[in-house]
Amino acid sequence: MQTTPSYERYQRQLILPNFGEAAQQKLAAACVLVIGAGGLGCPALQYLSAIGVGHIGIVDEDVVSISNLHRQVLYTTDDLGKLKTEVAQDRIQKMNTNCIVLTHSVAITQFNAFDIISNYDVVLDCTDNFNARYIINDACTLLKKPIVFGAVFQYEGQVAVFNHGIDAVHYRDLFPVSPTAAEAPNCIESGVFNIVTGIIGTLQAGEAIKIITGIGEPLSNRLMSYNSLSLNVYTVKLSKNPDAKKNTPATKEEFLQYDYNQFCGLHHLKDEISAEEFDALRNRTDVQLIDIRNKDEQPHVDELNAIRIPLSELKFHIDLLKKEKQIILFCHSGIRTLDALDILQDECQLNNVSHLKGGIIKWLDYKSNKK
Amino acid sequence: MDIQILLFGSLVDVFGKKQLQLAQVNDTDTLRLALSARYPSIRDAKFVISVDKKITVENTAIDTTSEIALLPPFSGG
């Protein structure tokens, strides 16, 4: 640590009040896990590496796609189709050669969470779905690891620190009941202002640095909401929720057996058709394609022989659905079709319906990668 | 006197405004019922109620001076 190149690299932070050599050594010894290398994960990884965190782990199963580039600032057009973990590892390793970067190119699940998380001191939740957020929360709570939580919606963001400090609360104390995917849409479905992920991800890195070094007051037991349009920041205090305890797995065994799909309203997993399957099925005569997007919604795809029945009108046009065929529903990103499945299966008792996972954009993506 | 309610995230779209006025209610449970009665579309929406910048985890008294906010969970990243 005392060598001149390191001193010069970190000089501007070493001279900060209350920072100094001790804080730098704590950072060099720290192991930080960033789960999700997307809009939040990219800036978080950059700042964690640049400040001198010694060991950084990156969890993500996805490859870089073109719609990521407006906010996932570690990636370039040349990286399309490459694993995010590997590109991110290469970039942040080059930014700071003192940093050891490990990749976990998988989605976080209840079956791998313990093995991955147990090697780290602090976990950044930079994911984009509730299933992963509850899995991370429960694993970290059982393993007693602090979580720096970040999430975005359009022009707004949330940051919080869980499992840290006295009478520490966690995500289930804040939201004991998970919304379904349709109730709280992600960036694909609702859009996101790119700088919001930049700011929230950067704040997450800052909270992790504060936890490691002991400087300042982390957002423990507090939730900060940020609005990029008004530039208002609204911070509320959190406390233990009696409803949280009955839903939180109390042991590793309970955690492994927990039904996260059911809890997060993902009971339609069995009705999913992948983009590849969809591509193979779409021209068959025993298949009927239903586009449930609104009338003028883009992208318009001429080569799909689909009937357009907007979700809001679906109930009134059941007669257009062919009971003898396999019906495949699609929308923009595969979120609204979950509501459509509820309507058709539960209310209309149709059992020949499935939906395109990831929606029309996933299929277009699949087609362009196939070329 | 009305109570003032700050809205966040998707709730701004649901209510069509950033702030709500509602005839006074005495506690957060009654507030939830009053909101569902007046705005049926939010009946299934998930959100937590904060009173004076504290997230409520049980029924909590409110008055016209209370600062009330409705916060939904965000999932994007």
Side-chain angles (χ1 to χ4, degrees):
Chain A
M1 284 310 300
Q2 302 283 5
T3 58
T4 311
S6 272
Y7 180 80
E8 283 174 4
R9 176 184 283 269
Y10 302 124
Q11 190 264 346
R12 302 295 194 278
Q13 64 202 41
L14 285 168
I15 60 170
L16 279 171
N18 305 321
F19 198 92
E21 186 67 26
Q24 197 63 57
Q25 279 178 3
K26 285 178 189 166
L27 289 170
C31 300
V32 178
L33 183 66
V34 176
I35 307 182
L40 298 170
C42 283
L45 286 165
Q46 289 176 302
Y47 282 96
L48 290 169
S49 149
I51 203 167
V53 169
H55 310 81
I56 297 177
I58 314 171
V59 183
D60 204 305
E61 63 163 345
D62 276 340
V63 295
V64 179
S65 68
I66 193 147
S67 62
N68 298 150
L69 299 181
H70 85 122
R71 70 187 187 286
Q72 302 185 14
V73 291
L74 275 174
Y75 313 125
T76 69
T77 314
D78 290 339
D79 300 321
L80 295 176
K82 294 181 191 165
L83 274 172
K84 289 183 181 178
T85 46
E86 289 179 2
V87 181
Q89 177 189 41
D90 178 62
R91 297 282 137 76
I92 65 170
Q93 195 90 73
K94 279 182 185 144
M95 281 175 68
N96 191 343
T97 46
N98 299 332
C99 178
I100 296 166
V101 186
L102 288 175
T103 60
H104 309 268
S105 304
V106 291
I108 195 88
T109 69
Q110 71 202 101
F111 307 109
N112 63 24
F114 258 69
D115 284 345
I116 296 175
I117 291 170
S118 56
N119 296 317
Y120 294 89
D121 308 315
V122 180
V123 175
L124 272 66
D125 176 358
C126 299
T127 59
D128 63 356
N129 66 85
F130 288 111
N131 210 353
R133 293 190 184 282
Y134 281 97
I135 288 171
I136 293 165
N137 181 72
D138 295 350
C140 288
T141 302
L142 286 166
L143 288 163
K144 299 186 167 57
K145 306 278 185 187
I147 305 169
V148 184
F149 165 88
V152 296
F153 174 79
Q154 296 181 342
Y155 296 99
E156 295 175 54
Q158 293 175 336
V159 188
V161 171
F162 300 127
N163 295 335
H164 183 257
I166 298 158
D167 293 328
V169 302
H170 55 80
Y171 191 54
R172 285 182 188 266
D173 289 302
L174 175 58
F175 295 114
V177 180
S178 172
T180 62
E183 284 165 357
N186 58 17
C187 299
I188 302 174
E189 193 67 13
S190 52
V192 62
F193 189 24
N194 67 349
I195 63 114
V196 176
T197 57
I199 287 165
I200 299 296
T202 305
L203 289 174
Q204 285 180 271
E207 292 307 293
I209 293 160
K210 284 157 63 181
I211 292 169
I212 295 162
T213 57
I215 60 170
E217 294 163 34
L219 270 169
S220 317
N221 298 356
R222 290 183 293 157
L223 172 76
M224 193 205 91
S225 299
Y226 163 81
N227 185 318
S228 63
L229 295 181
S230 62
L231 282 183
N232 282 338
V233 167
Y234 197 78
T235 306
V236 294
K237 279 191 184 158
L238 309 177
S239 52
K240 288 236 180 254
N241 190 325
D243 290 336
K245 202 159 185 187
K246 29 179 206 271
N247 278 325
T248 313
T251 61
K252 186 179 176 183
E253 287 65 39
E254 278 182 37
F255 173 69
L256 290 172
Q257 280 161 22
Y258 197 93
D259 192 341
Y260 284 92
N261 288 334
Q262 183 68 32
F263 180 71
C264 296
L266 300 177
H267 51 287
H268 285 306
L269 282 179
K270 63 180 190 328
D271 308 314
E272 277 177 1
I273 302 269
S274 70
E276 191 178 353
E277 290 166 324
F278 180 80
D279 200 52
L281 289 168
R282 65 193 172 95
N283 288 323
R284 277 172 47 169
T285 51
D286 58 345
V287 168
Q288 185 185 28
L289 303 181
I290 310 287
D291 181 354
I292 63 144
R293 295 177 298 162
N294 294 327
K295 285 269 182 264
D296 47 359
E297 214 177 310
Q298 300 293 329
H300 188 77
V301 186
D302 283 329
E303 60 184 298
L304 286 180
N305 185 19
I307 316 176
R308 197 175 279 214
I309 314 175
L311 177 61
S312 56
E313 297 168 25
L314 193 59
K315 259 190 230 179
F316 313 109
H317 295 288
I318 301 299
D319 53 310
L320 295 174
L321 304 183
K322 301 245 186 305
K323 291 204 168 55
E324 71 284 4
K325 295 194 178 185
Q326 180 185 356
I327 298 168
I328 305 176
L329 310 170
F330 66 87
C331 62
H332 188 63
S333 70
I335 302 279
R336 274 171 292 168
T337 39
L338 296 171
D339 282 342
L341 284 170
D342 278 339
I343 293 170
L344 296 178
Q345 292 178 342
D346 302 345
E347 293 180 35
C348 305
Q349 310 293 326
L350 288 175
N351 51 20
N352 56 332
V353 281
S354 49
H355 81 128
L356 171 58
K357 183 187 180 188
I360 193 76
I361 47 167
K362 193 82 189 175
W363 174 68
L364 290 172
D365 204 37
Y366 165 79
K367 281 214 313 168
S368 69
N369 283 336
K370 210 172 83 170
K371 273 174 197 162
Chain B
M1 274 271 280
D2 285 353
I3 49 169
Q4 310 292 320
I5 303 168
L6 301 170
L7 302 171
F8 287 82
S10 53
L11 295 176
V12 174
D13 295 334
V14 174
F15 289 99
K17 48 188 142 187
K18 286 186 247 176
Q19 223 165 330
L20 267 189
Q21 277 85 39
L22 205 70
Q24 203 207 323
V25 289
N26 293 327
D27 55 52
T28 49
D29 283 358
T30 323
L31 173 64
R32 268 192 196 269
L33 292 174
L35 286 169
S36 312
R38 190 158 158 201
Y39 303 94
S41 58
I42 67 133
R43 214 162 274 170
D44 295 326
K46 304 282 190 304
F47 59 85
V48 289
I49 302 174
S50 111
V51 175
D52 295 328
K53 300 201 170 180
K54 289 190 187 100
I55 296 286
T56 57
V57 295
E58 56 194 13
N59 194 18
T60 303
I62 48 184
D63 60 47
T64 50
T65 63
S66 304
E67 186 175 302
I68 297 164
L70 310 184
L71 298 131
F74 296 171
S75 75

